[in-house]
């Protein structure tokens, strides 16, 4: 067991593509670190560099006390779970799990004992003599896990290990992977493009975009105080509603399209940097759950009138898709397909009570909680806080 | 609708094709079991009336009827086996290692070289006959097993390599990466992971190469002028004398020559199909 230390790691491919920029991440012993980002953000490349499957262009990589920057994969004492599981098709489940041990020439009975143990943990005992082709997707996934845990490696690396499973199984395996990781207490780097997996599994989450680390913190911190527009837009589903707004000269009002919100003194006080934006544009972010249907007595300055586009009843809540006459901001790289259309239309989402009856096309007044709003600099995309 | 109405055509079509391809084989078998007189009778003898194996005895040089021209078939059978097997082994070794390099290693001109190798498949082989003869003469490899084996290998390698290349292409790189992470060295990965997985392809390449080698005629005819290295195909044609053509013996030899590939295909065709299909269907 050991920690993982990435120091200013870069990856530049021979064709000049700079996949990972100065990546600094440290994973403490026993910690579950999730690398998340849209496809092509460099998260898998980063993981493969830690694994030793991809050469590190510059920077240093330490596992425990050792500098492993230039060591081949087999000498790094790591175990990896691949997206496609990469099971050995000609070997039985037992042989797959025990392969690493047989390479290390451990005695047969010890291999058997440890394979059996791993199989017990993963409920694979009755499948030990099967070939991978005879297993279901979930079972194959567990064999891949078994191959990793039987080694008792210094660190675990997982490359989107759940993305080939169907939705229900994925939720189940998500919990199982977390459970096994906590039980073994091995430092883990877990790559995913799914922000739900990142939120639920990670002790900490590193958000990457275009090869650059955006923010690395506990999921709750990423969610509640994103450092920039990208993190704000990426973490959370449905995504944060981001609109362009203008701050009044005296910093007391916020103009979104044709509507005006009050900017209470407490909100300004909590974000002193906002003072620099008098009579200037900002991006405001509102989480869908911080918008609600306004009730009688909601102050005039904390309501937005919107047109309902679509209501999705999910049982426990309703998702109200609305149109607001303000410019929707598109955080680059986040969920491209959907975002482009919405940017033009100013569409947003509110997460509201399940029992309200709201018809399509209806004009609704949504209550806004200014103290929970996020502010970003429109040019740099950075959060406006202290 | 359309399909069911025409379904009766299918067995007929199959029967026609089978008759077309199997009748000559039957005729060779039929003739090989007859005496010369029966074989040349008119109307022809459709079925051997009394089984007799004197032709087989003759070509292998046993029994009373062995002629002076015959008896070399045993040696020729051995030659065919050595040359085909030798070529198969050499081809397979080079094809596996070479195809793996083409499929996995990144080096300059990799694509160009691979296509160059494949392009040799399109060469009319007889165009190379004279140059090859000259090369073997200069290197003193005419009338040797090694010479024939080299020539066969150069001819069959591209196809075998292509089969193996497809096998390696179909093998996800992550399987080898997983093995590397599991602690295996490059050699261990190749021996314990890669080779066992591509075994069906190796079997297919081996069988196809062997069958090709077994059926060669022109090249060994030109490149081996003595009984010591002539394969069965050449030796059989040599049975035909200037004045007498011993049809019964030639056909007995032909049946022997057919028997080997027929048995291989009969028992091993599963590997041929698996190996060729393996690259295309995941």
């Amino acid at each position: 067991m050991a920690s993982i230390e990435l120091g200013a790691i870069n990856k530049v491919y021979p064709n000049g593509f700079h996949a990972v920029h100065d990546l600094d991440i440290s994973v403490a012993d026993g910690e579950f670190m999730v690398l998340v980002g849209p496809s092509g953000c460099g998260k898998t490349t980063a993981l493969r560099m830690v694994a030793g499957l991809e050469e590190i262009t510059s920077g240093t990589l330490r596992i425990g006390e050792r500098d492993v920057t230039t060591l081949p994969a087999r000498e790094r004492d790591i175990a990896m779970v691949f997206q496609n599981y990469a099971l050995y098709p000609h070997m039985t489940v037992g042989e797959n799990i025990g392969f690493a041990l047989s390479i290390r020439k451990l005695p047969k009975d010890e291999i058997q004992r440890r394979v059996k143990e791993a199989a017990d943990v993963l409920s694979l005992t009755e499948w030990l003599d099967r070939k991978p082709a005879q297993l279901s997707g979930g079972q194959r996934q567990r064999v891949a896990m078994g191959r990793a845990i039987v080694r008792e490696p210094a660190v675990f690396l997982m490359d989107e290990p759940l993305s080939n499973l169907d939705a229900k199984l994925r939720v189940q395996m998500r919990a199982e992977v977390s459970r096994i990781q906590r039980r073994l207490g091995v430092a883990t780097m877990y790559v995913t493009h799914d922000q739900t997996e990142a939120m639920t599994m990670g002790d900490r989450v590193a958000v990457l975009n275009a090869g650059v680390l955006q923010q690395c913190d506990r999921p709750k911190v990423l969610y509640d105080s994103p450092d920039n527009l990208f993190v704000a837009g990426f973490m959370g589903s449905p995504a944060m509603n981001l609109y362009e707004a203008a701050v009044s000269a005296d910093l007391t009002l916020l103009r979104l399209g044709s509507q005006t919100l009050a900017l209470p003194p407490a909100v300004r006080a909590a974000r002193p940097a906002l003072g620099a934006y008098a009579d200037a544009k900002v991006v405001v972010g509102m989480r869908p759950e911080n918008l609600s249907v306004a009730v009688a007595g909601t102050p005039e300055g904390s309501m937005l009138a919107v047109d309902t586009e679509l209501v999705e009843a999910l049982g426990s809540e309703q998702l109200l898709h609305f149109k607001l006459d303000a410019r929707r901001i598109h955080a680059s790289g986040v969920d491209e397909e959907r975002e482009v259309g919405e940017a033009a239309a100013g569409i947003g989402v509110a997460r509201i009570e399940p029992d309200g009856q709201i018809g399509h096309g209806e004009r609704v007044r949504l209550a806004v909680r200014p103290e929970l709003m996020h502010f970003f600099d429109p040019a740099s995309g950075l959060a406006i806080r202290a | 609708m359309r399909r069911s109405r025409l379904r009766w055509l299918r067995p007929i079509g199959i029967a026609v094709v089978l008759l077309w391809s199997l009748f000559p084989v039957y005729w060779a078998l039929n003739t090989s079991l007859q005496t010369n007189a029966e074989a040349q009778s008119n109307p022809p003898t459709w079925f051997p009336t009394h089984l007799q194996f004197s032709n087989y005895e003759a070509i292998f040089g046993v029994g009373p009827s062995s002629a002076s021209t015959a008896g070399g078939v045993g040696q020729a059978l051995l030659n065919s086996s050595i040359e085909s097997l030798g070529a198969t082994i050499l081809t397979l070794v080079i094809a596996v290692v070479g195809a793996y390099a083409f499929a996995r290693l990144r080096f300059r001109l990799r694509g160009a070289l691979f296509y160059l190798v494949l392009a040799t498949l399109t060469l009319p082989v007889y165009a190379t006959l004279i140059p090859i003869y000259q090369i073997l003469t200069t290197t003193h490899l005419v009338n040797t097993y090694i010479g024939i084996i080299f020539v066969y290998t150069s001819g069959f390698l591209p196809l075998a390599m292509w089969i193996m290349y497809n096998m390696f292409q179909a093998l996800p790189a992550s399987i080898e990466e997983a093995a590397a992470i599991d602690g295996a060295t490059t050699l261990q990965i190749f021996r314990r992971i890669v080779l066992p997985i591509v075994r069906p392809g190796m079997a297919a390449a081996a069988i196809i190469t062997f069958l090709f080698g077994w059926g060669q005629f022109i090249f060994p005819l030109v490149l081996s002028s003595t009984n010591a290295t002539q394969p069965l195909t050449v030796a059989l044609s040599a049975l035909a004398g200037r004045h007498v053509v011993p049809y019964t013996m030639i056909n007995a030899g032909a049946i022997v020559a057919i028997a080997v590939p027929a048995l291989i295909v009969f028992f091993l065709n599963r590997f041929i199909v698996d190996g060729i299909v393996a690259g295309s269907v995941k």
Side-chain angles (χ1 to χ4, degrees), chain B residues 71-82:
Chain B
V73 170
Q75 175 69 35
L77 194 59
L78 181 70
N79 294 344
S80 276
S81 305
I82 291 175

Side-chain angles (χ1 to χ4, degrees), chain B residues 204-248:
Chain B
I207 293 166
I208 290 170
T209 306
F210 184 85
L211 294 180
F212 277 177
W214 193 265
Q216 283 300 305
F217 178 70
I218 295 283
F219 278 86
L221 178 69
V222 172
L223 302 175
S224 50
S225 52
T226 67
N227 286 341
T229 55
Q230 275 179 354
L232 201 47
T233 43
V234 176
L236 285 184
S237 72
L239 285 180
R242 185 170 300 206
H243 305 293
V244 189
V245 180
Y247 286 112
T248 52

Side-chain angles (χ1 to χ4, degrees), chain B residues 161-213:
Chain B
M161 203 176 227
W162 185 68
I163 292 174
M164 293 317 299
Y165 179 80
N166 284 338
M167 291 298 294
F168 292 131
Q169 284 283 305
L171 179 67
S174 57
I175 290 182
E176 289 162 66
E177 291 171 350
I181 287 174
D182 269 348
T185 62
T186 310
L187 203 65
Q188 282 171 324
I189 295 172
F190 194 65
R191 207 170 51 79
R192 296 187 55 175
I193 304 292
V194 175
L195 285 188
I197 296 177
V198 300
R199 199 172 285 153
M202 286 168 67
I207 293 166
I208 290 170
T209 306
F210 184 85
L211 294 180
F212 277 177

Side-chain angles (χ1 to χ4, degrees), chain A residues 248 250-254 261-275 301 370-371 373 375 385:
Chain A
S248 66
D250 60 358
L251 298 171
T252 57
L253 297 172
L254 198 61
L261 290 175
L263 210 51
V267 173
R268 297 202 306 270
R271 299 165 180 82
L274 208 50
E371 74 280 12
M373 285 203 298
F375 295 87
R385 288 201 288 253

Side-chain angles (χ1 to χ4, degrees), chain A residues 48 74 78 80 82 84 86-91 100 102-103 147 151, chain B residues 172 174-175 177-185 188 192-193 196-197:
Chain A
R48 289 174 58 85
R74 65 170 185 280
I78 48 171
M80 181 156 167
F82 290 82
N84 64 359
L87 302 180
Y88 311 129
H90 59 298
M91 296 184 188
S102 81
I103 285 287
R147 210 165 54 175
R151 299 256 315 274
Chain B
S174 57
I175 290 182
E177 291 171 350
I181 287 174
D182 269 348
T185 62
Q188 282 171 324
R192 296 187 55 175
I193 304 292
I197 296 177

Side-chain angles (χ1 to χ4, degrees), chain A residues 41 46 51 67 92 111 154 183 185 237 300 323 333 340 370:
Chain A
C41 73
D67 183 339
T92 63
I111 295 179
R183 176 164 151 180
S237 176
E300 194 56 38
K323 197 185 215 170
V340 171

